[in-house]
Amino acid sequence: MWRTTWRNLLAHKVRLALSGLAIVLGVAFVVGTLIFTDTLSKTFNDLFETTAADVNVTRAAAFDQGLAGTGAGGTATYVPAELVDRIADVDGVAAVEGNVQAEGVYILVPDGEVLDTGGAPGLGISWDTEESISPTSLVEGRAAEGPGEVMIDEDAAEESGYQVGDTISLLTPGPRIEAELVGIFRFGDGSGLAGASLTAFDTATAQELLTAPGQFTGIGVGAEDGVDPDELAGRVAAAVGDGHDVKTATEQAESLASDFSEALQFINIFLLVFAGIALFVGTFIILNTFSMLVAQRTRELALLRALGASRGQVTRSVLGEALVVGLVGATLGLAAGYGIAAGLRALFGSFGLTLDGNLVLAADTVVWGYVVGVLVTLVSAYVPARRAARMPPVAAMRDDVVTAQRGLRRRTVLGAVLAVAGIAALVGGTLSEDGGTGASLVGVGALALILGATALSPVLARPFLRTVGAVLPRIWGTTGRLAQENAVRNPRRTAATASALMIGLALVSAFSVIGASTNASIEKLVAGSVRAEFVVSSAVQVPFSSDVAAQLAAVDGVEAVMPLRWGQAQLDGSTALLTAVDPASLDRSIDLSWVDGSADDLAGDGVVVDESTAEGRGWSVGDQVEVLTLDGRTEQLTVGGIYESNQVIGSTVVSLDSLSRFGGVGLDRFLFVDLADGVAPSEVRAQLEDVVSGYPIVNLKDRGEFSDEQEGSVDQLLLLINAMLVLSVLIAALGIVNTLAMSVIERTREIGLMRAVGLGRSQLRRMVRLEAVIISIYGAVLGLVLGTLFGVALSRSLVDQGITELVVPYPRMAVFLVVAALIGVLAAVGPARRAAKLEILDAIARA
């Protein structure tokens, strides 16, 4: 039986190749994702391990703000300089030095533009003079010694072209400054900073620009020879007292790695979801391929049964072929996955996340690659293998044997149950008042409906192909009728081929509905909420200096400039993302619909919240709210107003003064520029642009341009998602090619007979093309209908999250339908040419 298995593999290697290619692509996506994320993780873990001092002291945070809350523009905690002398007196300490680190320092290249980090942060640090505990090492020049001197990392120096002695311009969290470049340094072991740029100042200057005089972001401690770091950490902890985190280098690296791994999980899941979709689509190709192979080898398998082969041996023979296909596909997928990982590294590098060093191919990645490839193939081939084993030995050896097809009753019942359950979940998600729960219900409903549609697809195929396919005979006559009948002949095969395309287009169309609805919601939100004539925001999605607001406010014709900042605190025991604004300018800049209270009570110790937050927390105007700041202090705020949800301002708003007391960093996220009455935007735009030009990381936009910018971000995300889904559509196209190619082989004698009675080669090619087109259109229509349902349901479930408008992009849907037809035409090229090349007598003679 194993010799028979190998013979069949060699005999059908071309037919199995396309099925194997589906496995290659799916496994490659899985492996590429794992290699990339492992490389990303190793890059940062190595960076954490090589840059931590023996013992590290920071201010303990009163609550966990996560990676999203750290950095500039959020909230920060500092340690006082007096702790340095206290730690220096601890037994076993060889060296101790306070350090400063903050985001918001950007290098301007000679042409005045910001050094391109692709979105990675621009960091400012203090230069460590204690070499034994410093993560930096001087490469060229000397250390900075005053406010007019700076140092930059070697990668930034190479990219910018600056050399020691040059005068460089810097954007800082405070003013824009000019300084002499006196040194170039290396950070860590020189393996890279993942795209970030580093600028070093002397300690006093760093404190002046980045924290506050006498304040550090952390303290590094070096141990004397022979002193255990854990023991030293205990002594240091006792010396600094409560309210501080004291960690060894290992603990520090593990803590940072854990936080980073948590953030990395999103990227991993995001990519693996699309890999799973591609593999799921691939199962249809494998199922179809082995089903057709079994049907074509009916007499051969029956003869094996007649010669004594048991059902189990026949099943194992077919599964053995699938096993080899899976192993070969997984092996090639591993190699292709390495290439995909390299592509992902280049892609993320263009966004600023630069990864140096070799890609990491871990043993578990290899294992997962083979497990996924082999398991998917075996599961997909199991049903055809069981069908082969049930073949009656004698009846199947007749020349006129037709493989029995089971009825569709079970599939119809199962599909109907799944479809009803899916529709119920979609409706439940749409009606849910909790956006998170509603979206989850929609996701479950979408999965159930896709499975239901897959089960019902053979049932729906006949009426669809009879109705829609009726146009083929009217246009192309006999050729069109033959194409229609070929598609209708085996609804299971047609359905399996079309279902692969259905899944890909369902997801693409669903995201198209969500994207169009989101953009329409943004346009309406900006038009109805933003009163300010201009908005200033960061071009690289980072906070910027408050000096920009001060200079814009000094322009003639400007009435007010309202900064908007972000921070964090715990309100009544729950962590909240705070928006901070100037209370005096809020109503002038943003149009809020007040349910109770007003912005007048925001000043001082006031807080205003949206309606859903007030209901969820049980707050009313006049209630007292306890605030826990990041550094452990408690304060009281009074609820001064409740407004209808507004995505521009967020859910919880405090004054700029309050955020500053809570430890907020004085960097702006947005500026809303209001003009004096009677001043036209065109009259002052040039002056405003002059101010902004001095800060290349920000740009000025009117309301329409601001709306377009926000919509552009949605379009970019949609483009990325669609690019990921292209793989599943590609695999679906391969499925159409495979089905048609094997169908041509299966119908060799029939094709010969049609040629004998006068069907021309061009007519035959047209017949195959039309068959492919009608199958593709069937899958596309199913996918577009399902996708539209999913998109509408998800959009309605997220009304409270800001997607208030519903838009179905019908022109785009029409384009998808045309593309599906073109996929059918292209997929039919090879099989059609093969069919046309068949010699009439040879084709008739083949059994």
Side-chain angles (χ1 to χ4, degrees):
M1 289 301 295
W2 283 114
R3 284 197 298 271
T4 302
T5 299
W6 281 110
R7 179 180 60 79
N8 286 327
L9 280 168
L10 294 175
H12 305 128
K13 55 183 179 292
V14 176
R15 307 181 206 180
L16 293 170
L18 289 175
S19 297
L21 185 56
I23 294 299
V24 170
L25 293 175
V27 170
F29 212 142
V30 172
V31 169
T33 297
L34 295 177
I35 290 175
F36 174 71
T37 51
D38 285 346
T39 302
L40 194 61
S41 180
K42 184 178 186 301
T43 298
F44 281 91
N45 288 350
D46 289 347
L47 189 65
F48 297 148
E49 290 174 0
T50 58
T51 57
D54 294 331
V55 175
N56 303 269
V57 181
T58 56
R59 184 66 179 265
F63 56 89
D64 181 17
Q65 60 175 350
L67 287 179
T70 60
T75 43
T77 56
Y78 305 124
V79 293
E82 63 188 40
L83 289 184
V84 174
D85 293 335
R86 194 185 305 175
I87 295 171
D89 293 334
V90 173
D91 184 33
V93 171
V96 58
E97 186 164 27
N99 53 71
V100 174
Q101 177 178 314
E103 293 184 28
V105 178
Y106 291 92
I107 302 168
L108 302 185
V109 295
D111 64 2
E113 296 298 319
V114 175
L115 178 68
D116 185 18
T117 63
L123 300 174
I125 63 172
S126 59
W127 180 254
D128 293 326
T129 57
E130 292 286 352
E131 295 183 6
S132 62
I133 56 174
S134 174
T136 56
S137 57
L138 192 63
V139 173
E140 183 181 350
R142 61 175 176 82
E145 296 177 349
E149 299 180 345
V150 298
M151 309 164 69
I152 61 176
D153 71 271
E154 57 184 347
D155 290 338
E158 181 179 355
E159 187 172 346
S160 65
Y162 284 129
Q163 298 179 350
V164 171
D166 290 344
T167 298
I168 67 175
S169 299
L170 299 169
L171 300 180
T172 74
R176 171 174 171 160
I177 63 173
E178 309 286 326
E180 180 186 357
L181 178 61
V182 297
I184 296 172
F185 62 90
R186 177 178 297 130
F187 187 80
D189 59 7
S191 58
L193 290 164
S197 65
L198 275 184
T199 303
F201 307 89
D202 66 280
T203 297
T205 302
Q207 289 175 324
E208 182 70 29
L209 292 173
L210 307 177
T211 57
Q215 300 291 326
F216 293 115
T217 52
I219 298 174
V221 183
E224 292 180 348
D225 293 339
V227 176
D228 181 67
D230 290 319
E231 184 178 342
L232 181 60
R235 298 174 192 168
V236 171
V240 298
D242 295 335
H244 298 87
D245 280 333
V246 180
K247 297 177 180 176
T248 64
T250 301
E251 292 170 340
Q252 178 90 336
E254 290 176 350
S255 175
L256 293 172
S258 177
D259 289 341
F260 180 75
S261 178
E262 185 177 337
L264 185 63
Q265 197 71 17
F266 170 77
I267 297 177
N268 207 16
I269 293 174
F270 177 80
L271 295 174
L272 287 177
V273 163
F274 291 100
I277 292 170
L279 285 167
F280 182 58
V281 170
T283 61
F284 290 97
I285 299 179
I286 300 166
L287 175 64
N288 233 11
T289 299
F290 279 92
S291 294
M292 296 178 74
L293 283 176
V294 166
Q296 292 171 17
R297 291 159 51 194
T298 295
R299 296 182 65 194
E300 172 193 330
L301 295 171
L303 181 60
L304 290 174
R305 292 280 285 115
L307 293 175
S310 66
R311 288 189 174 187
Q313 287 178 306
V314 172
T315 300
R316 288 192 293 273
S317 176
V318 177
L319 290 178
E321 296 175 29
L323 176 63
V324 174
V325 171
L327 287 172
V328 173
T331 301
L332 295 176
L334 282 169
Y338 202 85
I340 287 178
L344 287 172
R345 179 168 65 174
L347 174 65
F348 279 80
S350 68
F351 298 148
L353 190 58
T354 304
L355 303 178
D356 297 319
N358 297 324
L359 293 172
V360 177
L361 180 59
D364 58 345
T365 299
V366 176
V367 171
W368 275 113
Y370 278 107
V371 167
V372 168
V374 171
L375 191 61
V376 168
T377 310
L378 290 178
V379 169
S380 302
Y382 180 74
V383 172
R386 293 290 296 169
R387 190 180 303 144
R390 289 195 298 266
M391 204 165 292
V394 177
M397 292 173 64
R398 296 168 50 191
D399 285 340
D400 60 345
V401 66
V402 177
T403 305
Q405 293 283 345
R406 289 193 303 173
L408 296 174
R409 180 177 300 176
R410 289 185 180 179
R411 290 189 66 148
T412 302
V413 172
L414 176 62
V417 170
L418 287 171
V420 170
I423 292 173
L426 290 182
V427 173
T430 302
L431 298 177
S432 175
E433 296 182 359
D434 184 340
T437 302
S440 299
L441 279 173
V442 170
V444 172
L447 177 60
L449 206 50
I450 283 179
L451 294 176
T454 302
L456 289 172
S457 186
V459 181
L460 301 173
R462 286 188 187 276
F464 179 90
L465 297 173
R466 291 290 185 195
T467 304
V468 178
V471 72
L472 299 183
R474 296 178 183 178
I475 299 176
W476 288 282
T478 302
T479 305
R481 182 171 299 281
L482 289 172
Q484 180 192 20
E485 292 300 328
N486 286 335
V488 173
R489 180 188 303 179
N490 192 328
R492 292 176 186 270
R493 180 189 306 165
T494 298
T497 305
S499 293
L501 188 59
M502 172 193 76
I503 295 169
L505 285 181
L507 295 172
V508 170
S509 55
F511 283 113
S512 295
V513 172
I514 295 168
S517 299
T518 302
N519 281 339
S521 301
I522 290 173
E523 185 176 356
K524 181 178 180 181
L525 176 67
V526 172
S529 299
V530 178
R531 287 174 169 169
E533 284 81 2
F534 292 102
V535 179
V536 176
S537 62
S538 170
V540 290
Q541 307 304 313
V542 296
F544 49 90
S545 171
S546 58
D547 280 13
V548 181
Q551 294 183 36
L552 289 173
V555 173
D556 288 340
V558 173
E559 178 70 18
V561 176
M562 186 187 77
L564 186 149
R565 299 173 184 171
W566 293 339
Q568 283 185 312
Q570 277 197 351
L571 305 183
D572 281 352
S574 296
T575 303
L577 184 63
L578 306 178
T579 300
V581 298
D582 178 8
S585 303
L586 177 57
D587 281 337
R588 185 181 181 94
S589 298
I590 306 294
D591 185 6
L592 294 177
S593 298
W594 293 96
V595 177
D596 193 9
S598 68
D600 296 338
D601 295 319
L602 180 60
D605 295 330
V607 57
V608 295
V609 297
D610 66 11
E611 196 171 9
S612 60
T613 300
E615 291 177 357
R617 298 290 195 97
W619 293 340
S620 301
V621 170
D623 286 352
Q624 294 293 304
V625 177
E626 183 177 86
V627 180
L628 176 64
T629 66
L630 195 61
D631 59 5
R633 292 177 292 110
T634 58
E635 296 196 23
Q636 295 289 323
L637 291 178
T638 302
V639 178
I642 298 172
Y643 54 90
E644 293 181 4
S645 295
N646 188 300
Q647 300 300 311
V648 172
I649 201 69
S651 63
T652 308
V653 184
V654 298
S655 68
L656 293 172
D657 290 340
S658 293
L659 183 64
S660 179
R661 293 199 314 274
F662 301 161
V665 179
L667 297 178
D668 299 326
R669 288 283 179 173
F670 297 95
L671 300 176
F672 295 88
V673 182
D674 295 294
L675 303 184
D677 294 339
V679 177
S682 58
E683 296 177 26
V684 297
R685 179 150 193 167
Q687 296 94 308
L688 298 176
E689 292 281 10
D690 285 341
V691 172
V692 169
S693 65
Y695 298 85
I697 65 169
V698 301
N699 49 40
L700 179 78
K701 299 164 286 292
D702 60 27
R703 281 191 292 262
E705 292 166 340
F706 178 64
S707 177
D708 291 341
E709 181 185 60
Q710 305 309 306
E711 293 174 35
S713 300
V714 175
D715 291 337
Q716 287 182 348
L717 178 59
L718 192 63
L719 181 63
L720 175 62
I721 291 173
N722 286 339
M724 295 294 181
L725 290 172
V726 163
L727 182 61
S728 63
V729 176
L730 175 61
I731 292 176
L734 292 176
I736 298 173
V737 174
N738 208 24
T739 298
L740 291 174
M742 297 188 70
S743 179
V744 167
I745 296 171
E746 190 178 79
R747 304 198 316 254
T748 297
R749 176 180 288 184
E750 175 188 322
I751 290 171
L753 290 172
M754 287 190 293
R755 293 276 286 113
V757 297
L759 191 69
R761 292 182 187 271
S762 62
Q763 289 177 306
L764 184 59
R765 286 195 294 268
R766 187 183 303 123
M767 179 192 74
V768 176
R769 284 197 299 269
L770 291 176
E771 181 181 352
V773 168
I774 194 65
I775 292 174
S776 297
I777 290 177
Y778 175 52
V781 169
L782 283 179
L784 293 175
V785 170
L786 291 176
T788 301
L789 286 175
F790 302 158
V792 169
L794 187 56
S795 296
R796 295 301 82 199
S797 71
L798 296 176
V799 169
D800 289 342
Q801 309 300 314
I803 305 181
T804 57
E805 304 302 299
L806 177 61
V807 176
V808 178
Y810 293 108
R812 188 177 300 175
M813 299 298 186
V815 171
F816 292 156
L817 192 61
V818 172
V819 169
L822 290 176
I823 288 174
V825 172
L826 295 175
V829 170
R833 294 177 66 178
R834 178 185 176 90
K837 287 180 180 179
L838 289 174
E839 295 295 335
I840 297 176
L841 294 179
D842 289 343
I844 295 174
R846 292 184 187 180

